[in-house]
């Protein structure tokens, strides 16, 4: 059973997600939680721990290992007034359900001219950094953001994990909820601050360059920003939170202020989500830019074996190197920018 957590106390991201599910189940009898091993086991990462015991197997239950069937069932339930929250267990496990998601979940509201809403949340633990193998470490966000009709969100902090998941469950639209599994055990406080469901947020203010990150890379970007002070750079960090829709206003306000930007994500660079961010920022902020917008991403390879993933994933040194390539001239003196 989920314990009541006082505002301001420390909670892991997994704990925050658990609390969000528990609070949603308690608040709305139409909310259901189901998927692979979410019941008695409490999920591979224990995000649903204790929920089946508290709310019963009619509302929190295991399903067969059949992702297409899980999402198809959720669509039917949503068409009949329920609010399903389903778990795919691992990022690449969701691919068998891709046809259901893109052809039906994303399109039914438009197909019925708004008469049928599908308030379905698909929880997808995604990304690397846990020593997992392929099929367990994909960053699949671009597949979903390319599909009109889906909201795609990803938290970078425990507080956001709670707030975004509650907002996702309340949304009348289908939501792909991407959970950065490497951050499940990171702790932070819950707050009363309310941020719009589709809004980005400035995690750290700065004047020289904007780091644009989301999900698992938010913590890495903040770590980089602290390290950058030793090189003479004052770095602003923007956490996108919502990948679709995109918050042009917050992102562009930051880039206009700093004049430089670097986009960071774990997924491969070619055709990755960062390319869309670069395009949007360039189109809207071109006359304010002092240098091209750069990307720091995973390499364009299948996900590597566990012993090599640290070289594949963006880290502080790679991001600092990108900052140093932003055509500083004599504006800022630093070992990377000299």
């Amino acid at each position: 059973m989920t314990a009541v957590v006082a505002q301001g106390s420390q909670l892991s991201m997994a704990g925050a997600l658990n609390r969000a599910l528990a609070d949603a189940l308690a608040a709305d009898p139409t909310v259901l939680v189901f998927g692979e091993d979410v019941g008695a086991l409490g999920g591979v990462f224990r995000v649903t721990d204790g929920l089946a015991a508290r709310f019963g197997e009619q509302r929190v239950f295991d399903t067969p290992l059949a992702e297409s069937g899980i999402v198809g069932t959720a669509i039917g339930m949503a068409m009949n007034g329920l609010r399903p929250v389903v778990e795919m267990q691992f990022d690449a496990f969701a691919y068998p359900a891709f046809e259901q998601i893109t052809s039906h979940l994303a399109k039914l509201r438009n197909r019925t001219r708004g008469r049928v809403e599908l308030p379905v949340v698909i929880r997808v633990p995604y990304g690397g950094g846990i020593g997992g193998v392929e099929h367990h470490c994909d960053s699949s966000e671009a597949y979903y953001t390319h599909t009109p009709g889906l909201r795609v969100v990803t938290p970078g902090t425990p507080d956001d994990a709670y707030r975004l998941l509650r907002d996702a469950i309340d949304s009348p639209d289908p939501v792909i909820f991407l959970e950065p599994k490497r951050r499940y055990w990171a702790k932070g406080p819950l707050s009363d601050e309310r941020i719009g469901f589709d809004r980005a947020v400035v995690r750290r203010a700065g004047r020289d360059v904007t780091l644009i990150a989301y999900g698992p890379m938010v913590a890495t970007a903040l770590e980089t920003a602290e390290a950058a002070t030793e090189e003479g750079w004052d770095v602003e960090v923007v956490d996108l939170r919502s990948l679709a829709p995109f918050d042009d206003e917050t992102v562009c306000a930051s880039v206009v202020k700093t004049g430089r930007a670097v986009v960071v994500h774990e997924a491969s660079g070619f055709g990755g989500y960062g390319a869309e961010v670069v395009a949007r920022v360039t189109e809207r902020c071109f006359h304010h830019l002092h240098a091209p917008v750069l990307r720091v991403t995973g390499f364009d390879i299948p996900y590597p074996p566990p012993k090599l993933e640290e070289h594949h994933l963006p880290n502080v040194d790679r991001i600092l190197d990108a900052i140093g390539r932003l055509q500083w001239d004599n504006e800022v003196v630093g070992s990377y920018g000299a």
Side-chain angles (χ1 to χ4, degrees):
M1 184 178 296
T2 304
V4 175
V5 179
Q7 297 294 334
S9 62
Q10 296 289 311
L11 195 63
S12 70
M13 181 176 286
L17 292 167
N18 181 279
R19 182 185 177 191
L21 291 169
D23 288 353
L25 285 161
D28 185 348
T30 67
V31 174
L32 304 174
V33 174
F34 58 94
E36 299 167 351
D37 295 321
V38 304
L41 179 66
V44 171
F45 299 100
R46 303 299 185 267
V47 171
T48 56
D49 188 35
L51 298 182
R54 178 177 175 184
F55 295 99
E57 63 181 15
Q58 297 299 311
R59 298 189 65 198
V60 182
F61 54 90
D62 294 329
T63 66
L65 302 181
E67 291 80 11
S68 181
I70 293 171
V71 175
T73 299
I75 291 171
M77 287 179 166
M79 291 176 69
N80 287 278
L82 299 175
R83 306 185 82 87
V85 183
V86 303
E87 180 180 314
M88 293 288 100
Q89 194 171 82
F90 283 99
D91 30 57
F93 290 12
Y95 298 152
F98 198 66
E99 195 274 336
Q100 289 280 5
I101 294 170
T102 59
S103 295
H104 303 291
L105 185 65
K107 293 182 172 64
L108 194 60
R109 188 173 188 179
N110 182 71
R111 187 182 301 143
T112 61
R113 298 183 180 181
R115 291 192 297 274
V116 177
E117 294 180 348
L118 293 181
V120 176
V121 178
I122 300 180
R123 294 180 42 244
V124 184
Y126 85 118
I130 64 165
V133 295
E134 61 179 358
H135 304 120
H136 297 73
C137 297
D138 276 20
S139 294
S140 47
E141 58 268 26
Y143 300 136
Y144 301 115
T145 59
H146 185 67
T147 305
L150 298 176
R151 285 182 177 267
V152 184
V153 299
T154 178
T157 67
D159 186 52
D160 252 3
Y162 180 85
R163 303 297 172 191
L164 284 174
L165 186 52
R166 290 300 306 274
D167 287 342
I169 295 170
D170 289 341
S171 173
D173 302 311
V175 180
I176 306 298
F177 194 90
L178 300 171
E179 300 173 5
K181 64 174 81 78
R182 70 189 296 189
R183 306 301 181 193
Y184 272 144
W185 303 278
K187 291 188 175 183
L190 297 190
S191 72
D192 290 321
E193 182 181 9
R194 301 297 298 174
I195 303 172
F197 188 33
D198 55 358
R199 301 293 290 181
V201 64
V202 176
R203 296 290 179 196
R204 183 187 190 278
R207 66 175 184 275
D208 296 326
V209 57
T210 299
L211 285 186
I212 303 169
Y214 55 87
M217 285 290 103
V218 172
T220 305
L222 290 168
E223 185 181 355
T224 302
E226 292 302 315
T229 60
E230 299 179 8
E231 310 299 334
W233 295 310
D234 188 12
V235 176
E236 182 150 298
V237 176
V238 176
D239 177 358
L240 293 181
R241 304 174 74 250
S242 173
L243 306 187
F246 187 83
D247 183 3
D248 291 292
E249 181 181 355
T250 300
V251 174
C252 290
S254 175
V255 175
V256 166
K257 180 179 73 171
T258 64
R260 292 179 172 85
V262 176
V263 184
V264 185
H265 61 65
E266 288 191 10
S268 299
F270 188 87
Y273 183 78
E276 175 65 23
V277 179
V278 171
R280 299 180 80 89
V281 169
T282 302
E283 289 169 358
R284 291 161 175 77
C285 307
F286 181 80
H287 295 289
H288 299 273
L289 291 172
H290 303 311
V293 182
L294 299 182
R295 290 174 291 164
V296 181
T297 71
F299 297 116
D300 295 330
I301 59 172
Y303 200 83
K307 291 184 178 180
L308 298 177
E309 71 174 351
E310 65 177 297
H311 305 291
H312 173 72
L313 298 172
N315 57 30
V316 171
D317 286 341
R318 286 178 59 194
I319 301 171
L320 286 174
D321 180 70
I323 294 174
R325 292 186 280 114
L326 289 173
Q327 300 179 10
W328 295 98
D329 296 324
N330 295 320
E331 293 181 48
V332 176
V333 177
S335 59
Y336 281 82

